[in-house]
């Protein structure tokens, strides 16, 4: 109807949510918090890590690069859900999505300026504009692009390795120990503001691989929605089982880079390790799907992640604020005195606080505070004081 297409449309209602995606999003945020807090502490200490730090190695092997990649996948899924909904309500869904991304970019810029240089929102917003070229493409076309990007990602370190062998006098890759985040060593908060943009210029200059991997995962999320893998998941158990088997084998192959690196096969290790984010994120997501589908008794406990998942933007920004205040010198300065076990425990404690906050907030409101602002700026007025409809995971996969 023409009347429906006036204005900016409306966001997806809670009844239309796929609760499994909220579970995965909430779990992914836990991993992001752990990795980011280790990054903050390590940067303050000058990345002086010892090889016998078991907990630090476990985080590096099984979390680093995996959860931010999983978040990118979910961003691609969210893009398709948003566009499908917007196409039914407005004449120009592309403009509405562009508006949404512009607002997200604004959040990212504010986040960088006033909170933390490790922002991903601005990268998501800028890379997200490329997705508009793929909304109306067929699943087969999107899959071809995914395969091409994966092949190129595998071949890039091979070409780099060959170039370094031929050009032995060439410039070596920068070492983390030589990289300093000035904003993490600032004595005052005011000093840190200008230092963050100095750090951002340095980080942005070497962010091509991150943006490349991010966009690859965007497309993979688009492909999963186009193939309707998240629709009626119960009927697609065999498909999800195949996805899990393939993801597990691929993850084990890329994780073998750890052993290869120990035996000084660094060239092969770099080729495999560079794709660990892709395989790791798909392994974690498909493992949750297998547990969700084949072990119904776990669906209730898994729902504890949904509240954080539904407030992922708010919780992401809050974890940055809490982490920088706790660890950096202009706050409590704990980074210089804390060990890996303490960093890990702080990560879990902050996530637990965010879970409680999200649960209490969503008892009163439909959306998190930042989600509400984002939706209002994107769609217009939203009835924010209506209580959320009770969630039932069983219904979400049987529709």
């Amino acid at each position: 109807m023409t009347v429906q297409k006036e204005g900016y449309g409306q966001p997806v209602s809670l009844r239309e949510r796929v609760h499994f995606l909220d579970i995965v999003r909430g779990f992914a945020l836990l991993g992001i918090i752990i990795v980011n807090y280790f990054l903050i502490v390590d940067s303050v200490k000058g990345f002086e890590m010892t090889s016998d730090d078991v907990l630090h190695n476990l985080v590096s092997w099984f979390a680093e690069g995996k959860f931010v990649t999983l978040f990118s996948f979910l961003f691609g899924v969210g893009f398709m859900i948003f566009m499908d909904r917007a196409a039914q309500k407005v004449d120009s869904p592309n403009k509405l999505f562009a508006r949404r991304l512009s607002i997200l970019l604004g959040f990212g810029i504010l986040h960088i300026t006033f909170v933390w240089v490790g922002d991903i929102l601005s990268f998501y917003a800028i890379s997200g504009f490329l997705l508009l070229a793929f909304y109306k493409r067929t699943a087969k076309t999107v899959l071809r692009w995914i395969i091409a990007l994966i092949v190129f990602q595998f071949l890039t370190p091979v070409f780099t390795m060959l170039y370094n062998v031929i050009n032995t006098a060439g410039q070596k890759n920068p070492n983390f120990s030589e990289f300093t985040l000035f904003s993490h060593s600032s004595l005052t908060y005011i000093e840190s503001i200008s230092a963050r943009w100095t750090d951002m210029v340095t980080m942005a200059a070497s962010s091509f691989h991150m943006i490349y991997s991010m966009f690859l995962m965007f497309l993979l999320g688009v492909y999963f929605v186009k193939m309707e893998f998240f629709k009626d998941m119960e009927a697609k158990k065999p498909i999800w089982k195949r996805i899990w088997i393939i993801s597990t084998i691929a993850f084990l192959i890329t994780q073998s880079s750890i052993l290869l690196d120990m035996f000084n096969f660094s060239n092969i290790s770099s080729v495999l390790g560079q794709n660990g984010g892709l395989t790791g994120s798909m392994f974690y997501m498909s493992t949750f799907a297998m547990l969700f589908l084949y072990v119904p008794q776990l669906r209730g406990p898994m729902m504890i992640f949904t509240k954080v998942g539904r407030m992922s933007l708010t919780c992401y920004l809050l974890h940055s604020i809490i982490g920088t205040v706790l660890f950096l010198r202009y706050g409590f300065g704990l980074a210089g005195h804390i060990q890996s076990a303490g960093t890990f425990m702080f990560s879990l404690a902050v996530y637990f606080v965010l879970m409680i906050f999200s649960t209490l907030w969503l008892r009163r409101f439909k959306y998190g505070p930042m989600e509400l602002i984002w939706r209002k700026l994107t769609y217009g007025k939203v009835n924010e004081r209506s209580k959320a409809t009770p969630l039932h995971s069983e219904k979400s996969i049987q529709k």
Side-chain angles (χ1 to χ4, degrees):
M1 294 176 63
T2 306
V3 176
Q4 289 181 316
K5 293 194 174 185
E6 293 179 353
Y8 289 117
Q10 288 295 322
V12 178
S13 68
L14 292 178
R15 288 183 179 274
E16 294 171 306
R17 278 185 176 273
V18 180
H19 304 316
F20 172 73
L21 295 176
D22 287 330
I23 291 172
V24 177
R25 189 176 293 109
F27 175 70
L29 190 60
L30 171 60
I32 287 176
I33 292 173
I34 294 172
V35 172
N36 285 349
Y37 282 4
F38 269 84
L39 173 61
I40 294 174
V41 172
D42 290 343
S43 67
V44 171
K45 293 182 176 181
F47 296 98
E48 297 176 356
M49 296 167 283
T50 58
S51 58
D52 60 347
D53 190 336
V54 177
L55 182 57
H56 199 296
N57 287 332
L58 289 174
V59 171
S60 177
W61 294 338
F62 296 101
E64 191 173 296
K66 276 73 171 177
F67 292 100
V68 68
T69 309
L70 179 55
F71 230 66
S72 301
F73 170 84
L74 294 169
F75 186 89
V77 173
F79 161 75
M80 286 299 298
I81 295 174
F82 178 92
M83 292 294 287
D84 285 344
R85 175 72 175 182
Q88 300 174 6
K89 298 294 181 181
V90 299
D91 292 318
S92 302
N94 285 11
K95 290 182 179 180
L96 188 61
F97 185 68
R99 176 187 174 94
R100 183 174 175 83
L101 288 179
S102 299
I103 297 165
L104 184 64
L105 178 59
F107 289 157
I109 292 173
L110 292 174
H111 185 217
I112 295 169
T113 303
F114 297 107
V115 184
W116 189 44
V117 70
D119 173 74
I120 60 171
L121 304 180
S122 53
F123 288 102
Y124 276 10
I126 294 171
S127 306
F129 282 98
L130 297 174
L131 283 175
L132 293 172
F134 292 88
Y135 174 61
K136 293 185 178 181
R137 299 292 182 268
T138 64
K140 184 179 292 186
T141 299
V142 174
L143 180 60
R144 287 171 180 168
W145 273 88
I146 292 170
I147 294 172
L149 291 174
I150 292 175
V151 170
F152 183 78
Q153 183 165 273
F154 264 100
L155 292 179
T156 298
V158 175
F159 292 144
T160 303
M161 178 181 63
L162 292 175
Y163 174 79
N164 291 336
V165 170
I166 297 172
N167 186 21
T168 54
Q171 183 179 3
K172 294 182 180 180
N173 293 328
N175 193 309
F176 261 133
S177 61
E178 301 171 357
F179 180 66
T180 302
L181 286 172
F182 296 104
S183 59
H184 287 186
S185 58
S186 301
L187 290 175
T188 67
Y189 176 74
I190 299 301
E191 289 177 357
S192 73
I193 294 177
S194 59
R196 270 192 282 277
W197 281 103
T198 301
D199 292 339
M200 176 52 66
V201 171
T202 304
M203 294 175 66
S206 58
S207 61
F208 174 78
H209 174 68
M210 181 183 71
I211 295 176
Y212 185 94
S213 300
M214 187 180 293
F215 183 67
L216 169 58
M217 296 307 297
F218 287 176
L219 288 185
L220 195 57
V222 168
Y223 177 74
F224 268 58
V225 176
K226 285 184 176 291
M227 294 298 293
E228 298 186 337
F229 289 154
F230 296 112
K231 184 178 181 180
D232 195 7
M233 290 177 67
E234 282 282 5
K236 295 183 174 67
K237 280 186 177 181
I239 295 175
W240 277 104
K241 187 174 183 179
R242 287 196 294 270
I243 293 173
W244 179 75
I245 292 173
I246 294 172
S247 299
T248 301
I249 294 173
F251 182 56
L252 290 175
I253 292 173
T254 55
Q255 286 301 99
S256 67
S257 63
I258 299 170
L259 296 175
L260 292 172
D261 199 39
M262 290 179 179
F263 291 101
N264 296 320
F265 291 99
S266 57
N267 292 328
I268 301 176
S269 172
S270 65
V271 174
L272 295 176
Q274 193 165 328
N275 294 274
L278 166 63
T279 61
S281 61
M282 288 297 95
F283 169 72
Y284 292 141
M285 189 271 293
S286 59
T287 298
F288 262 78
M290 293 296 289
L291 294 174
F292 193 78
L293 293 172
Y294 286 91
V295 190
Q297 298 86 349
L298 291 179
R299 289 179 189 170
M302 289 168 68
M303 293 293 284
I304 63 173
F305 293 109
T306 58
K307 301 298 189 296
V308 175
R310 285 170 52 194
M311 287 178 50
S312 56
L313 176 59
T314 298
C315 291
Y316 172 76
L317 294 173
L318 282 176
H319 105 275
S320 294
I321 296 171
I322 296 171
T324 51
V325 171
L326 284 176
F327 297 122
L328 298 186
R329 297 175 70 178
Y330 58 75
F332 290 98
L334 297 180
H337 314 284
I338 198 171
Q339 301 303 316
S340 294
T343 306
F344 184 75
M345 294 307 296
F346 267 111
S347 303
L348 296 182
V350 169
Y351 188 80
F352 182 71
V353 170
L354 293 177
M355 286 179 59
I356 295 176
F357 170 70
S358 301
T359 301
L360 295 176
W361 183 276
L362 291 173
R363 285 180 180 176
R364 182 175 177 82
F365 302 100
K366 281 185 178 180
Y367 312 108
M370 291 307 301
E371 286 77 10
L372 179 60
I373 294 172
W374 195 14
R375 287 170 180 271
K376 276 192 171 183
L377 293 174
T378 302
Y379 302 102
K381 187 177 180 180
V382 178
N383 182 19
E384 71 273 17
R385 299 194 70 85
S386 298
K387 291 188 66 174
T389 303
L391 303 179
H392 300 287
S393 60
E394 293 81 10
K395 292 183 179 179
S396 68
I397 62 172
Q398 291 176 356
K399 289 181 179 179

